[in-house]
Amino acid sequence: MEITTIIYIIVGFLAGGTIAFFTGRRMLQTKANNILKEAEAEAEMIKKDKILQAKEKFIQLKAEHEHTINEKNNKILMAENRINQREAGLSQRIEELQRKKQEVEAVRNNLNQQLELIGKKDEELDRITRQAVEKLEVVSGLSAEEAKIQLMESLKAEAKSEAMSYVSEVIEEAKMTAGKEAKKIVINTIQRVATEEAIENSVTIFNIDNDDIKGRIIGREGRNIRALEAATGVEIIVDDTPEAIILSAFDPVRREIARLSLHQLVTDGRIHPARIEEVVKKVEKQVEEEVLEAGKRTCIDLGIHNLHPELVRLVGKMKYRSSYGQNLLQHSREVANLCSIMAAELGLNAKAAKRAGLLHDIGKVAEEEPELPHAVLGMKIAERLKEKPEVCNAIGSHHEEVEMTTLLAPIIQVCDAISGARPGARREAVESYIKRLKELEDMALSYPGVVKTYAIQAGRELRVIVGSDKVSDKEAETLSYDIAKKIQDEMTYPGQVKITVIRETRAVSVAK
């Protein structure tokens, strides 16, 4: 009984598990079927979306393709229209050419007909001419060749006579117009060069802020102004002129040195003899540098290259020199431009002419051999500094102290005269005055022991500075008398000239 019960129980359990197993399997099958249906539905929806997108894309691409095709069709239509227009134009041109060709053919046929007529007339004319020649030969007793030779001889003699007459007329006309043409070249040259008129003076005005500075410039018992005059060689006039001090000297370089020195001293405020000498020396170096700069700038402005440094310095020095009241550098620049233009007009070397024109008066600012004429001295300097022979000859011969050997020489001479003869360019009185003062200084400087000489007071006083180790006090008195006697015997001057010989002894020590 118990065993049977157990067996029923086991069988029942197994039957329940089987039922449960089959029941779970059916549920899983049902769930799987549901999931599969959902997946199929979702896949169907995705498929529809993709198909819809593909249709939209296709429609878009189709529209773009149609647009592109339309544009190409439009371009093709436009091109066809242009081609049609060109074809129409070409057709018109072809018709025009055909018409012109017909006209040309008609003209050619007409010309051929006329040529045939002319040929017939020429033959008739030749026949008539032969008959006339034969009759002339019979009448004159000469053949055609003999008559031709006689006619040629007659015409040759007549032509020769007329040619000689024409040549004579041309020569006479050339002689009459040569002077006019030369004047025209000179006038054109003058008109093409316009420079400012420059008149030099012998006085420079130094402006000051107030009159209290005048006392400091004069110094105690006048020692400052005496030291300044001795160092610069310039007469310093301090009078009642408000806010101005007058610097008087015939040498523009000295006046410029004195002006710059005064400017530095007044600006610095320290004015005493030792300081004055120090400043004057510095200013002299500064002016020398300005001279070099002026020379370089002039050469650059005129386009003159490869000039020796010494010649550049002499050119710059002309800035502080005057010739008959005319600034020498301005005069030389003007002559250089005139020479260049005139040489170009005459087909000569314009650069060499400009170079010679700039250097023609360097003898006036040279410091060597003052007894030589300035033209000859300038030529010697140019030769020493390896200038070309044609330039040297033009410099030396522009006042005819040397024979002219090149075509540049008369050009320099003429242009120098043109520049000097221009109205208002020169003032003879100033030049003669400066020359007299220069002669005064050179005469005193020729004595042994003389270090420096300064002509001041418009040439009414000559200050002579001598070396204390070379000239004694007694010899200083004798020297003053000798110079006065020589000036009186050899020079012409208005009024009287006071000779002041200055001999001073200095003891200098340095505290270290």
Side-chain angles (χ1 to χ4, degrees), residues 19-125:
I19 293 168
F21 170 76
F22 284 109
T23 303
R25 184 178 178 182
R26 282 195 300 271
M27 290 175 67
L28 289 174
Q29 186 69 34
T30 302
K31 190 173 182 180
N33 291 331
N34 292 334
I35 292 172
L36 184 59
K37 289 179 180 178
E38 290 177 0
E40 289 176 353
E42 188 175 354
E44 189 67 25
M45 289 178 64
I46 291 171
K47 181 180 179 183
K48 290 180 179 180
D49 289 340
K50 293 297 182 183
I51 291 171
L52 183 60
Q53 291 178 4
K55 288 181 178 180
E56 291 177 353
K57 186 67 175 178
F58 175 75
I59 293 170
Q60 182 181 355
L61 292 174
K62 184 179 179 182
E64 291 177 356
H65 181 66
E66 290 177 351
H67 179 69
T68 304
I69 291 173
N70 291 332
E71 286 183 350
K72 290 183 178 179
N73 290 333
N74 291 333
K75 290 181 179 178
I76 291 170
L77 288 174
M78 293 174 65
E80 288 178 352
N81 292 332
R82 286 197 298 270
I83 291 171
N84 292 331
Q85 290 176 359
R86 288 181 182 178
E87 288 180 351
L90 288 173
S91 299
Q92 291 178 358
R93 290 184 183 179
I94 290 171
E95 291 176 358
E96 184 70 19
L97 288 173
Q98 291 290 343
R99 186 178 60 79
K100 288 184 178 180
K101 186 177 180 180
Q102 292 174 0
E103 292 178 356
V104 169
E105 287 294 334
V107 171
R108 183 181 295 173
N109 294 329
N110 188 16
L111 286 175
N112 289 331
Q113 294 175 1
Q114 292 181 2
L115 286 173
E116 290 177 359
L117 292 174
I118 291 171
K120 293 178 179 179
K121 290 181 179 179
D122 286 341
E123 292 176 357
E124 182 69 19
L125 183 61

Side-chain angles (χ1 to χ4, degrees), residues 173-186:
E173 185 179 357
K175 288 180 180 179
M176 293 175 62
T177 59
K180 183 185 293 185
E181 291 298 322
K183 290 177 183 178
K184 187 183 296 184
I185 291 175
V186 173

Side-chain angles (χ1 to χ4, degrees), residues 140-384:
S140 62
L142 294 174
S143 65
E145 190 66 27
E146 291 173 348
K148 183 178 179 182
I149 292 172
Q150 287 186 5
L151 181 61
M152 287 176 63
E153 291 295 330
S154 175
L155 291 174
K156 188 185 293 183
E158 185 179 353
K160 187 175 181 180
S161 175
E162 290 182 359
M164 290 299 297
S165 175
Y166 181 72
V167 169
S168 300
E169 290 178 1
V170 170
I171 293 174
E172 290 298 324
E173 185 179 357
K175 288 180 180 179
M176 293 175 62
T177 59
K180 183 185 293 185
E181 291 298 322
K183 290 177 183 178
K184 187 183 296 184
I185 291 175
V186 173
I187 290 171
N188 289 337
T189 304
I190 295 173
Q191 288 176 341
R192 287 170 60 183
V193 178
T195 56
E196 60 185 12
E197 299 178 3
I199 298 296
E200 288 287 319
N201 296 319
S202 59
V203 171
T204 298
I205 305 298
F206 178 73
N207 296 312
I208 55 178
D209 294 335
N210 56 71
D211 290 341
D212 295 338
I213 298 175
K214 292 182 179 179
R216 296 172 60 192
I217 293 174
I218 295 172
R220 183 177 298 176
E221 297 178 356
R223 63 178 185 173
N224 289 347
I225 196 170
R226 284 199 302 273
L228 195 56
E229 287 180 343
T232 59
V234 174
E235 181 183 2
I236 300 174
I237 302 172
V238 182
D239 53 15
D240 295 335
T241 305
E243 298 181 354
I245 294 174
I246 300 174
L247 309 177
S248 176
F250 73 93
D251 189 343
V253 178
R254 292 185 197 166
R255 292 206 310 273
E256 183 67 10
I257 291 172
R259 186 186 69 79
L260 294 174
S261 300
L262 264 178
H263 178 72
Q264 290 193 16
L265 289 168
V266 170
T267 304
D268 185 38
R270 293 177 295 165
I271 306 176
H272 51 81
R275 175 66 177 163
I276 289 171
E277 293 182 359
E278 178 186 351
V279 169
V280 169
K281 288 181 180 179
K282 289 182 179 179
V283 170
E284 285 176 350
K285 293 181 180 179
Q286 179 183 343
V287 170
E288 183 66 23
E289 292 175 358
E290 289 181 0
V291 164
L292 286 173
E293 183 62 26
K296 291 178 182 177
R297 189 164 54 250
T298 300
C299 294
I300 291 172
D301 292 344
L302 293 176
I304 296 175
H305 307 290
N306 300 324
L307 204 62
H308 193 280
E310 179 62 23
L311 291 176
V312 174
R313 190 181 74 84
L314 292 175
V315 170
K317 200 172 178 183
M318 291 181 187
K319 178 181 178 182
Y320 300 101
R321 176 74 162 82
S322 62
S323 176
Y324 295 97
Q326 186 181 23
N327 181 270
L328 191 58
L329 180 58
Q330 183 68 23
H331 166 66
S332 298
R333 289 175 64 116
E334 188 176 62
V335 171
N337 287 323
L338 285 166
C339 291
S340 174
I341 295 171
M342 190 171 289
E345 290 283 346
L346 298 174
L348 301 177
N349 189 340
K351 290 185 177 179
K354 183 182 287 189
R355 197 181 189 95
L358 178 64
L359 301 177
H360 80 284
D361 271 347
I362 56 173
K364 290 186 177 182
V365 294
E367 295 148 357
E368 53 193 51
E369 300 184 63
E371 66 275 3
L372 288 175
H374 76 273
V376 179
L377 181 57
M379 181 185 69
K380 288 189 173 184
I381 294 171
E383 289 175 346
R384 177 168 55 83

